[in-house]
Amino acid sequence: MSATGPARPPGTPYLYRSWRYLELQFRGGVAQTRMLRWAPDWLQVGYTRTMLAALLLRPRPARIGIVGLGGGAQAKFCHRHLRHSRIEVIEYDPGVLALRDAFKVPADDARLAVELGDGAAWLRERAGRYDLLLVDAYDVDGIPPALSAVGFHRDCAAALAPGGALASNLYATDVRAHLGRMRRVFGPRLKTLQEPGVDNRVVFAWRDPLAAVPDPEAALRALPWLARLQLAAPMRRLATALAAGSL
């Protein structure tokens, strides 16, 4: 196993290689993204599968926004399996973006666009644009304050198209305070899931009230079989949690 490159300041993104995995790390031992080297499109880290369980709430999104590219796991999954979707990604860290090819993120095309920039400013310009919004942006210190403020959550809500849904990864943050700020925007249209065995929680929010808990089997049938294989368990877990209450 080896990390690439010379000594670097703490928090600088770098690659960590083993015979099986390629990882994006900010500090030794903590993987932001893990890619299986012979299956680069597979969602290897559990919370990424949980986040994409948001497809239960919006099974066929025409347009997907992603704040935080990281190693590109979710962008690659969406590009491969959601062929009807346009995917737009913003990444703040040029060091992360520079590793795009190493993680086999496809080149920009008619269905994928990846930009370097400020995610909070980027989102403010996209009112009503996204059927599905994925927020997975943090650095060595956790989620930046600009991406946990009430104003940012308002911009997230405003960026959702009618019927749109959001999934956000909560890692290295004050979860109670973060959720409190989200509830000021989304009210009861919010649900959190603890990721088994790790510190991550995934929070789901949606623009419009749910008439009923969506059927996970119907949502799964809309996906290719390799996508179903990865998302069946978290999608069913989300449906069970929604049935138990919206908060």
Side-chain angles (χ1 to χ4, degrees):
M1 301 181 186
S2 64
T4 63
R8 61 191 69 80
T12 302
Y14 64 96
L15 296 179
Y16 191 81
R17 302 177 187 271
S18 72
W19 67 272
R20 190 178 184 188
Y21 298 119
L22 185 67
E23 294 183 352
L24 172 63
Q25 297 189 1
F26 291 108
R27 60 162 60 100
V30 179
Q32 193 275 348
T33 300
R34 180 180 299 117
M35 183 183 78
L36 192 62
R37 297 181 77 159
W38 55 81
D41 295 334
W42 190 264
L43 294 171
Q44 187 63 33
V45 180
Y47 85 83
T48 61
R49 296 190 294 272
T50 300
M51 285 185 67
L52 280 162
L55 289 165
L56 173 71
L57 301 166
R58 187 68 169 183
R60 293 183 59 85
R63 198 178 297 267
I64 300 170
I66 302 178
V67 180
L69 175 67
Q74 296 180 84
K76 289 187 293 184
F77 178 96
C78 293
H79 189 263
R80 176 173 180 177
H81 297 298
L82 305 179
R83 297 302 179 98
H84 52 277
S85 300
R86 162 80 176 173
I87 305 120
E88 299 175 352
V89 187
I90 187 74
E91 171 56 52
Y92 179 76
D93 190 331
V96 170
L97 198 58
L99 300 175
R100 172 180 180 167
D101 290 344
F103 282 96
K104 301 187 184 303
V105 178
D108 285 8
D109 59 19
R111 295 180 42 247
L112 175 65
V114 181
E115 299 179 43
L116 178 67
D118 181 328
W122 180 83
L123 202 60
R124 282 195 293 272
E125 300 174 354
R126 283 161 168 74
R129 189 171 181 86
Y130 297 117
D131 301 295
L132 181 64
L133 181 60
L134 305 173
V135 181
D136 186 16
Y138 59 91
D139 56 25
V140 68
D141 297 314
I143 298 175
L147 302 187
S148 63
V150 171
F152 175 72
H153 300 315
R154 288 198 183 105
D155 292 336
C156 286
L160 296 179
L166 158 76
S168 181
N169 176 35
L170 303 188
Y171 174 76
T173 189
D174 183 335
V175 172
R176 183 184 296 273
H178 197 113
L179 289 176
R181 290 188 287 270
M182 290 192 74
R183 287 191 182 104
R184 288 174 61 182
V185 175
F186 290 98
R189 302 184 307 279
L190 201 71
K191 186 66 189 179
T192 61
L193 290 181
Q194 177 71 49
E195 189 61 26
V198 295
D199 292 334
N200 302 69
R201 291 192 190 187
V202 175
V203 56
F204 302 88
W206 46 97
R207 172 174 158 158
D208 304 311
L210 298 178
V213 175
D215 178 6
E217 307 312 317
L220 288 165
R221 284 194 295 273
L223 296 171
W225 75 271
L226 276 176
R228 292 199 301 270
L229 187 62
Q230 297 176 75
L231 299 188
M235 200 174 280
R236 289 165 182 155
R237 191 159 60 96
L238 176 57
T240 299
L242 290 170
S246 61
L247 289 178

